[in-house]
Amino acid sequence: MYFEYRGQKVQRISLSLGRRSSGESTKQHQPFLPYLNWSYRNFICFSIIYFFSSFAQLNWAFPGDLDPTFGGPFGRYFLNLNADQLDSAGAIARQPDGKLIIGGTCGTGNSADFCILRRNADGSADTAFGYASGISRITLSLAADYATAAAVQTDGKIVVAGSCVAFNIRSFCMVRLLASGVFDTSFGSGGVVNQVVGAGNADPRGMVIQPDGKIVMGGTCFDGTYYTVCAARFLSSGAFDPSFGNQGRRFLSTTVNLAGYGLALQSDGAIIVAGSSSAGNVMCAYRFTANGAVDSGYGISGIACVPNSLAVSAAATSIALQADGKSVIAGYCVVDGPVVGNLTNGFCFARLDFAGALDSTFGSGGVVKTTLSSAFASANALAVQPDGRIIATGECSVSGRTNFCTIRLNDGGSVDTSFGTNGVVKTNVVDGQDVAYAVHVQPDGAIVVAGLCTESSAPIDGAMCIARYQGGPLGARQCSLDIDGDGVVLGTTDLLILNRVSRGMRLRDAINSIVFAAHATRKTWGELRTYLRTQCDMKIVE
């Protein structure tokens, strides 16, 4: 006899024999508990209660929940590094050992500097890093320095990039650190690169490291007449790469103002910059070839823009590439608010194919528009998970405050309702204004978000804030009680294994004396471990 649990057949077991009750027809689907005597029903009910209470002890959580193993019990950190100044996180990179590099800015106005932190896997400070208890605060110019991108090289060195301002000139800036967090003096001048690109008013936002070690930066530059999209490539030494564009730099010719934000590197070396155009106020992507030429085969003369029927307020602030080479851009655009006709800014997405055309298999004609707030919302960072699902994070207005807002879409553009509340997570990190600028998806599926948070009592005293969310198993399509994969849920195999594991027994010991069905697809402790970890996101005692 079977009863149903979430669509899985669960077989009644015999208390005395620990096996299938004799004489039961496996073809009948009849009520389960009425056939048991009172004491047996009590035993089964107690076992079920114990079983599900054991699940809670296994750290099971829903996708979108704050991760209690990060930042103590709260899943977040609020790092006020300088009193009465604005500290902000603008980039996240992950080392192979699981430690996180957070790149950002410390200070306000002319006192703003690059601030680079390293956090352990649980979010605590790696006090062995940098010049002061896990922090490297670096002054690159005479005035303000803003870090917006970070990456870890294959040799463990850390590159953080952004812009520097001095004498009203904004330039491309980078710093490279050794794995210990101190200057790599073999890079640029004493570990620092500070180069004017264009007519002296550049705002680089994105940076990637090529497989050959060259570094590409991209963003917005002033060409003397218009603001336009630009890219620059540097050798691993920090010098301009003369084989790229015009002595290491390339501008997109324009007769309107353009803006560049996020940057991505394609497998063929081509560079795509996400941004916007003042011609129609549209989300756009711009592509340069591997040698720095404007790619005329992409979109129209290297520019692929998303039609905007309202022609107001739209920009792509971030970009991420899928495994199939398609690119997803995200940002903000005007959408209908919760009340039809009440327009507001929402998270907006578009997916482009390799030629820059909208991908009609994504959303509606290649575009997805979402309403996260009745007032304002903007996606500021984007990532594509290995399973194809899309994570975007940024800000949205909630009851007069700004929250971290994160949404997850399925590969086809529909909202992933298994994540958060109807696909959306809104986090009030502190009681003021919270804006997320960076996102990173860890190999275990956890989602790290970082940005700026201010308290309502001290709006000029901002802090770096970092949160980590449960992402759920990457690539998972089903986690069921059928642990061994034989098509049914048995108390003598599946439930017994879970009961033992939930009490802290090692998995290899938990399967001792268990006889698996011949057709079971998971019989060894290695196969079971892989299933429970990757499909059920369960932490297993080795």
Side-chain angles (χ1 to χ4, degrees):
M1 183 191 306
Y2 300 88
F3 71 95
E4 298 286 332
Y5 172 73
R6 294 187 179 179
Q8 296 290 326
K9 295 179 181 179
V10 182
Q11 189 172 47
R12 193 186 106 183
I13 61 173
S14 166
L15 175 63
S16 58
L17 299 178
R19 64 171 71 95
R20 180 186 304 174
S21 298
S22 61
E24 296 288 357
S25 170
T26 60
K27 296 182 180 180
Q28 294 178 346
H29 295 267
Q30 297 174 318
F32 178 51
L33 291 178
Y35 285 85
L36 307 177
N37 60 42
W38 182 86
S39 61
Y40 194 28
R41 286 201 305 270
N42 280 357
F43 170 79
I44 293 297
C45 290
F46 175 79
S47 297
I48 292 173
I49 291 171
Y50 177 79
F51 170 69
F52 285 107
S53 66
S54 298
F55 263 2
Q57 299 172 20
L58 285 169
N59 253 340
W60 280 40
F62 292 102
D65 287 353
L66 285 164
D67 181 355
T69 67
F70 187 84
F74 306 111
R76 52 196 166 186
Y77 278 98
F78 180 79
L79 307 173
N80 194 339
L81 305 176
N82 299 276
D84 299 323
Q85 296 188 33
L86 291 176
D87 305 328
S88 174
I92 305 169
R94 183 180 182 274
Q95 296 185 167
D97 61 2
K99 293 182 179 180
L100 298 172
I101 301 297
I102 308 296
T105 303
C106 295
T108 303
N110 288 340
S111 65
D113 296 323
F114 275 23
C115 268
I116 305 163
L117 290 68
R118 188 161 69 194
R119 313 296 289 187
N120 295 313
D122 64 357
S124 61
D126 178 2
T127 56
F129 179 81
Y131 294 99
S133 301
I135 302 172
S136 286
R137 179 168 181 167
I138 298 170
T139 300
L140 285 81
S141 69
L142 297 176
D145 310 323
Y146 303 98
T148 55
V152 178
Q153 296 185 167
T154 55
D155 60 2
K157 293 179 181 180
I158 299 157
V159 181
V160 177
S163 62
C164 298
V165 182
F167 305 111
N168 294 319
I169 295 175
R170 185 185 291 264
S171 57
F172 278 41
C173 283
M174 287 187 290
V175 61
R176 189 163 74 191
L177 305 178
L178 301 176
S180 61
V182 301
F183 283 117
D184 173 13
T185 56
S186 69
F187 182 74
S189 176
V192 173
V193 169
N194 187 342
Q195 293 284 4
V196 174
V197 177
N201 201 355
D203 186 13
R205 297 292 185 92
M207 181 268 292
V208 293
I209 299 177
Q210 296 185 168
D212 61 3
K214 294 179 180 180
I215 302 167
V216 180
M217 294 179 67
T220 306
C221 296
F222 186 58
D223 66 5
T225 305
Y226 296 99
Y227 286 94
T228 186
V229 174
C230 57
R233 190 163 71 193
F234 301 84
L235 303 173
S236 60
S237 64
F240 277 120
D241 176 8
S243 69
F244 181 85
N246 181 11
Q247 295 301 307
R249 290 148 282 199
R250 174 59 69 190
F251 297 81
L252 205 155
S253 297
T254 181
T255 56
V256 297
N257 286 321
L258 307 176
Y261 300 104
L263 180 149
L265 180 71
Q266 293 187 299
S267 58
D268 63 352
I271 298 153
I272 305 181
V273 180
S276 63
S277 170
S278 63
N281 294 298
V282 288
M283 300 169 62
C284 297
Y286 310 90
R287 192 163 74 188
F288 301 97
T289 65
N291 62 8
V294 175
D295 188 350
S296 59
Y298 185 77
I300 299 174
S301 300
I303 304 174
C305 292
V306 180
N308 181 3
S309 59
L310 297 175
V312 291
S313 187
T317 60
S318 49
I319 183 170
L321 299 183
Q322 297 187 159
D324 60 3
K326 293 177 181 178
S327 55
V328 180
I329 58 175
Y332 63 86
C333 65
V334 172
V335 297
D336 262 323
V339 177
V340 176
N342 180 19
L343 300 180
T344 183
N345 274 10
F347 279 30
C348 294
F349 304 81
R351 187 161 71 193
L352 306 171
D353 64 20
F354 196 78
L358 285 169
D359 176 10
S360 60
T361 66
F362 181 77
S364 175
V367 178
V368 172
K369 299 180 179 181
T370 63
T371 302
L372 276 70
S373 169
S374 60
F376 176 83
S378 173
N380 298 326
L382 180 69
V384 174
Q385 297 184 171
D387 61 4
R389 286 180 288 185
I390 299 161
I391 289 284
T393 192
E395 58 192 293
C396 64
S397 179
V398 180
S399 302
R401 295 175 178 171
T402 303
N403 285 188
F404 274 16
C405 282
T406 305
I407 188 171
R408 187 160 74 184
L409 305 180
N410 294 310
D411 177 67
S414 61
V415 175
D416 177 7
T417 56
S418 72
F419 182 78
T421 302
N422 296 322
V424 178
V425 173
K426 300 177 182 179
T427 304
N428 187 201
V429 181
V430 293
D431 64 350
Q433 308 300 320
D434 309 329
V435 181
Y437 292 119
V439 65
H440 174 79
V441 178
Q442 297 186 169
D444 63 359
I447 300 160
V448 184
V449 173
L452 164 70
C453 297
T454 60
E455 297 179 275
S456 58
S457 59
I460 64 170
D461 188 12
M464 286 188 178
C465 42
I466 313 165
R468 189 164 72 192
Y469 302 92
Q470 302 281 359
L474 292 178
R477 291 296 176 263
Q478 182 178 9
C479 173
S480 79
L481 294 178
D482 180 17
I483 303 301
D484 62 1
D486 65 354
V488 294
V489 179
L490 300 175
T492 50
T493 52
D494 310 292
L495 300 186
L496 184 56
I497 291 170
L498 283 171
N499 182 281
R500 288 174 174 177
V501 171
S502 69
R503 289 186 285 113
M505 185 180 292
R506 296 193 313 167
L507 182 57
R508 65 181 71 198
D509 296 328
I511 64 174
N512 284 342
S513 75
I514 291 180
V515 178
F516 294 99
H519 63 281
T521 59
R522 294 177 287 272
K523 302 176 186 178
T524 68
W525 77 272
E527 293 168 338
L528 292 164
R529 177 186 60 179
T530 298
Y531 174 77
L532 292 173
R533 280 182 171 176
T534 63
Q535 298 297 303
C536 301
D537 201 25
M538 185 184 289
K539 294 178 174 62
I540 302 297
V541 177
E542 293 290 349

PDB file of all heavy atoms in Angstrom, residues 321-334:
ATOM      1  N   LEU A 321      26.799  36.948 -20.199  1.00  0.00           N
ATOM      2  CA  LEU A 321      26.732  36.030 -21.334  1.00  0.00           C
ATOM      3  C   LEU A 321      26.236  34.671 -20.899  1.00  0.00           C
ATOM      4  O   LEU A 321      26.571  34.181 -19.815  1.00  0.00           O
ATOM      5  CB  LEU A 321      28.117  35.876 -21.971  1.00  0.00           C
ATOM      6  CG  LEU A 321      28.757  37.137 -22.542  1.00  0.00           C
ATOM      7  CD1 LEU A 321      30.090  36.794 -23.186  1.00  0.00           C
ATOM      8  CD2 LEU A 321      27.837  37.818 -23.542  1.00  0.00           C
ATOM      9  N   GLN A 322      25.431  34.046 -21.765  1.00  0.00           N
ATOM     10  CA  GLN A 322      24.984  32.677 -21.543  1.00  0.00           C
ATOM     11  C   GLN A 322      25.982  31.703 -22.165  1.00  0.00           C
ATOM     12  O   GLN A 322      26.832  32.087 -22.974  1.00  0.00           O
ATOM     13  CB  GLN A 322      23.598  32.470 -22.146  1.00  0.00           C
ATOM     14  CG  GLN A 322      22.527  33.332 -21.515  1.00  0.00           C
ATOM     15  CD  GLN A 322      21.138  32.990 -22.012  1.00  0.00           C
ATOM     16  OE1 GLN A 322      20.156  33.294 -21.372  1.00  0.00           O
ATOM     17  NE2 GLN A 322      21.052  32.377 -23.175  1.00  0.00           N
ATOM     18  N   ALA A 323      25.832  30.443 -21.808  1.00  0.00           N
ATOM     19  CA  ALA A 323      26.737  29.416 -22.327  1.00  0.00           C
ATOM     20  C   ALA A 323      26.638  29.283 -23.839  1.00  0.00           C
ATOM     21  O   ALA A 323      27.611  28.892 -24.500  1.00  0.00           O
ATOM     22  CB  ALA A 323      26.442  28.085 -21.649  1.00  0.00           C
ATOM     23  N   ASP A 324      25.476  29.603 -24.413  1.00  0.00           N
ATOM     24  CA  ASP A 324      25.294  29.471 -25.858  1.00  0.00           C
ATOM     25  C   ASP A 324      25.748  30.707 -26.629  1.00  0.00           C
ATOM     26  O   ASP A 324      25.553  30.805 -27.838  1.00  0.00           O
ATOM     27  CB  ASP A 324      23.835  29.161 -26.184  1.00  0.00           C
ATOM     28  CG  ASP A 324      22.864  30.251 -25.709  1.00  0.00           C
ATOM     29  OD1 ASP A 324      23.338  31.271 -25.174  1.00  0.00           O
ATOM     30  OD2 ASP A 324      21.639  30.067 -25.873  1.00  0.00           O
ATOM     31  N   GLY A 325      26.346  31.678 -25.934  1.00  0.00           N
ATOM     32  CA  GLY A 325      26.855  32.873 -26.586  1.00  0.00           C
ATOM     33  C   GLY A 325      25.891  34.032 -26.646  1.00  0.00           C
ATOM     34  O   GLY A 325      26.290  35.152 -26.993  1.00  0.00           O
ATOM     35  N   LYS A 326      24.624  33.790 -26.324  1.00  0.00           N
ATOM     36  CA  LYS A 326      23.672  34.895 -26.300  1.00  0.00           C
ATOM     37  C   LYS A 326      23.989  35.803 -25.107  1.00  0.00           C
ATOM     38  O   LYS A 326      24.545  35.359 -24.095  1.00  0.00           O
ATOM     39  CB  LYS A 326      22.236  34.368 -26.199  1.00  0.00           C
ATOM     40  CG  LYS A 326      21.788  33.603 -27.432  1.00  0.00           C
ATOM     41  CD  LYS A 326      20.374  33.041 -27.255  1.00  0.00           C
ATOM     42  CE  LYS A 326      19.943  32.261 -28.490  1.00  0.00           C
ATOM     43  NZ  LYS A 326      18.592  31.658 -28.339  1.00  0.00           N
ATOM     44  N   SER A 327      23.642  37.075 -25.238  1.00  0.00           N
ATOM     45  CA  SER A 327      23.912  38.033 -24.175  1.00  0.00           C
ATOM     46  C   SER A 327      22.602  38.553 -23.587  1.00  0.00           C
ATOM     47  O   SER A 327      21.636  38.810 -24.320  1.00  0.00           O
ATOM     48  CB  SER A 327      24.754  39.193 -24.696  1.00  0.00           C
ATOM     49  OG  SER A 327      24.148  39.808 -25.817  1.00  0.00           O
ATOM     50  N   VAL A 328      22.580  38.687 -22.277  1.00  0.00           N
ATOM     51  CA  VAL A 328      21.429  39.246 -21.565  1.00  0.00           C
ATOM     52  C   VAL A 328      21.845  40.604 -21.023  1.00  0.00           C
ATOM     53  O   VAL A 328      22.898  40.735 -20.380  1.00  0.00           O
ATOM     54  CB  VAL A 328      20.982  38.339 -20.409  1.00  0.00           C
ATOM     55  CG1 VAL A 328      19.781  38.948 -19.685  1.00  0.00           C
ATOM     56  CG2 VAL A 328      20.648  36.944 -20.920  1.00  0.00           C
ATOM     57  N   ILE A 329      21.070  41.610 -21.303  1.00  0.00           N
ATOM     58  CA  ILE A 329      21.301  42.931 -20.720  1.00  0.00           C
ATOM     59  C   ILE A 329      20.153  43.263 -19.781  1.00  0.00           C
ATOM     60  O   ILE A 329      19.018  42.814 -19.984  1.00  0.00           O
ATOM     61  CB  ILE A 329      21.465  44.027 -21.793  1.00  0.00           C
ATOM     62  CG1 ILE A 329      20.231  44.113 -22.707  1.00  0.00           C
ATOM     63  CG2 ILE A 329      22.718  43.787 -22.613  1.00  0.00           C
ATOM     64  CD1 ILE A 329      20.298  45.264 -23.715  1.00  0.00           C
ATOM     65  N   ALA A 330      20.456  44.014 -18.742  1.00  0.00           N
ATOM     66  CA  ALA A 330      19.434  44.369 -17.755  1.00  0.00           C
ATOM     67  C   ALA A 330      19.658  45.792 -17.285  1.00  0.00           C
ATOM     68  O   ALA A 330      20.791  46.298 -17.294  1.00  0.00           O
ATOM     69  CB  ALA A 330      19.470  43.406 -16.575  1.00  0.00           C
ATOM     70  N   GLY A 331      18.600  46.424 -16.856  1.00  0.00           N
ATOM     71  CA  GLY A 331      18.680  47.784 -16.348  1.00  0.00           C
ATOM     72  C   GLY A 331      17.323  48.249 -15.893  1.00  0.00           C
ATOM     73  O   GLY A 331      16.641  47.557 -15.133  1.00  0.00           O
ATOM     74  N   TYR A 332      16.917  49.384 -16.401  1.00  0.00           N
ATOM     75  CA  TYR A 332      15.603  49.904 -16.024  1.00  0.00           C
ATOM     76  C   TYR A 332      14.911  50.481 -17.249  1.00  0.00           C
ATOM     77  O   TYR A 332      15.538  50.887 -18.222  1.00  0.00           O
ATOM     78  CB  TYR A 332      15.719  50.974 -14.929  1.00  0.00           C
ATOM     79  CG  TYR A 332      16.495  52.212 -15.346  1.00  0.00           C
ATOM     80  CD1 TYR A 332      15.868  53.278 -16.008  1.00  0.00           C
ATOM     81  CD2 TYR A 332      17.854  52.319 -15.082  1.00  0.00           C
ATOM     82  CE1 TYR A 332      16.571  54.397 -16.391  1.00  0.00           C
ATOM     83  CE2 TYR A 332      18.574  53.449 -15.461  1.00  0.00           C
ATOM     84  CZ  TYR A 332      17.926  54.486 -16.115  1.00  0.00           C
ATOM     85  OH  TYR A 332      18.631  55.591 -16.496  1.00  0.00           O
ATOM     86  N   CYS A 333      13.594  50.500 -17.190  1.00  0.00           N
ATOM     87  CA  CYS A 333      12.791  51.156 -18.209  1.00  0.00           C
ATOM     88  C   CYS A 333      11.441  51.473 -17.588  1.00  0.00           C
ATOM     89  O   CYS A 333      11.105  50.981 -16.502  1.00  0.00           O
ATOM     90  CB  CYS A 333      12.637  50.289 -19.461  1.00  0.00           C
ATOM     91  SG  CYS A 333      11.705  48.762 -19.210  1.00  0.00           S
ATOM     92  N   VAL A 334      10.684  52.287 -18.264  1.00  0.00           N
ATOM     93  CA  VAL A 334       9.373  52.672 -17.755  1.00  0.00           C
ATOM     94  C   VAL A 334       8.380  51.545 -18.018  1.00  0.00           C
ATOM     95  O   VAL A 334       8.285  51.024 -19.129  1.00  0.00           O
ATOM     96  CB  VAL A 334       8.896  53.978 -18.401  1.00  0.00           C
ATOM     97  CG1 VAL A 334       7.450  54.279 -18.024  1.00  0.00           C
ATOM     98  CG2 VAL A 334       9.787  55.132 -17.972  1.00  0.00           C
TER      99      VAL A 334
END
